[in-house]
Amino acid sequence: MYTRAILKKNAKDALRRNYWKSVLVGLLLMVLTAGAGTPKVNVSIENGRFEAKADWLAGLDGNMIWVILSTMLGIVLVVLVAAILLQVLVFNPLMVGVRRFSLVNAQQPASLDELGSGFGLNYKTNVKTMFMTDLYIVLWTLLFFFPGVVAAYRYRMVPYLLAEHPELSTAEALQKSRDMMKGQKWNAFVLDLSFIGWNLLAGLTFGLLAVFFVNPYKMQTDANLYLALSRGGQNEM
């Protein structure tokens, strides 16, 4: 049976063997999972009335505001569609490549060529499977936040399964992930919580510690969790 200490020790060993490539891939993983900001809107409460103002709209008449807002809505929709396509067609297969790198790196120094594995002959399956994974998580999150979190842990192993077993179909990868995480979701959650201290330290260093240690450390620990669940604790490729 695996323990958090063993997973983290194996992760550190993998980092020592292939440090700079792990840092680079960890940085890529951070970019793939990063969020975006939102426009600034001033909010105030005066005389019991709630007001939200966008300063850049001041001094414009109603027709001009309507034209601006319609144009902005169109731009937002185009950007949103482009972002979704980029996520589905590029970032998701790249995520499979990142997981492939971390799996190989758990055993031996991995090559950056592993990052392109998600774009190989199984590209269409990777795109479809990762899309369905994201869709299930989003739908459960819309139902309520907690079921969304549970769904994220339920399908956590999907990109690893695609990385190691490209012959799997979408249904098989999703089912295998559900089976692997059955009874393990709480353990995985506690494993994630164990990085809170490191995340706080990373914040104090303005993200530098995250780039050069925390992100690749977490990436390799998660890969070792997959190996532990799929091989009974034996990290073999």
Side-chain angles (χ1 to χ4, degrees):
M1 180 61 183
Y2 71 90
T3 65
R4 290 191 298 277
I6 292 176
L7 295 181
K8 290 186 172 183
K9 177 185 179 300
N10 291 340
K12 291 177 182 177
D13 291 341
L15 290 182
R16 293 188 187 99
R17 290 194 301 266
N18 202 18
Y19 176 72
W20 286 109
K21 288 180 182 178
S22 298
V23 168
L24 180 60
V25 177
L27 180 60
L28 176 61
L29 180 61
M30 181 175 67
V31 172
L32 291 176
T33 56
T38 55
K40 181 179 179 181
V41 176
N42 296 325
V43 177
S44 63
I45 300 178
E46 298 180 2
N47 300 323
R49 297 179 59 188
F50 175 84
E51 294 185 358
K53 299 178 181 179
D55 293 338
W56 52 274
L57 291 177
L60 300 177
D61 60 30
N63 290 334
M64 184 60 68
I65 291 177
W66 174 253
V67 171
I68 292 175
L69 292 179
S70 299
T71 302
M72 289 181 62
L73 178 60
I75 294 174
V76 168
L77 289 176
V78 171
V79 171
L80 180 60
V81 171
I84 292 175
L85 290 176
L86 190 63
Q87 177 70 41
V88 172
L89 300 178
V90 179
F91 290 167
N92 280 348
L94 187 56
M95 181 67 74
V96 174
V98 168
R99 299 312 189 191
R100 175 67 189 179
F101 174 92
S102 61
L103 289 178
V104 174
N105 203 50
Q107 179 66 25
Q108 61 189 16
S111 167
L112 293 179
D113 291 341
E114 302 292 350
L115 296 176
S117 61
F119 298 91
L121 296 176
N122 56 326
Y123 172 72
K124 291 183 179 180
T125 300
N126 290 337
V127 168
K128 178 183 176 181
T129 306
M130 292 298 291
F131 173 77
M132 295 303 299
T133 300
D134 292 339
L135 180 62
Y136 285 152
I137 294 173
V138 168
L139 291 177
W140 278 109
T141 303
L142 291 176
L143 178 63
F144 195 65
F145 176 74
F146 180 73
V149 172
V150 173
Y153 280 96
R154 181 182 299 129
Y155 297 113
R156 182 169 177 149
M157 298 302 162
V158 168
Y160 292 105
L161 288 164
L162 294 175
E164 188 177 25
H165 302 287
E167 74 280 1
L168 292 177
S169 67
T170 296
E172 289 171 336
L174 294 171
Q175 184 59 53
K176 282 184 176 292
S177 181
R178 286 193 290 264
D179 293 340
M180 291 177 66
M181 294 304 294
K182 188 175 297 182
Q184 296 294 333
K185 289 185 281 292
W186 175 254
N187 292 332
F189 176 71
V190 174
L191 178 63
D192 290 340
L193 287 181
S194 70
F195 284 96
I196 287 181
W198 284 113
N199 290 332
L200 291 175
L201 288 176
L204 293 176
T205 61
F206 302 99
L208 288 178
L209 185 62
V211 172
F212 291 105
F213 180 70
V214 179
N215 288 332
Y217 181 26
K218 291 171 64 177
M219 177 185 71
Q220 282 304 143
T221 301
D222 205 42
N224 280 305
L225 174 62
Y226 167 82
L227 292 172
L229 294 178
S230 62
R231 293 166 172 75
Q234 298 179 2
N235 291 11
E236 300 174 351
M237 281 300 294

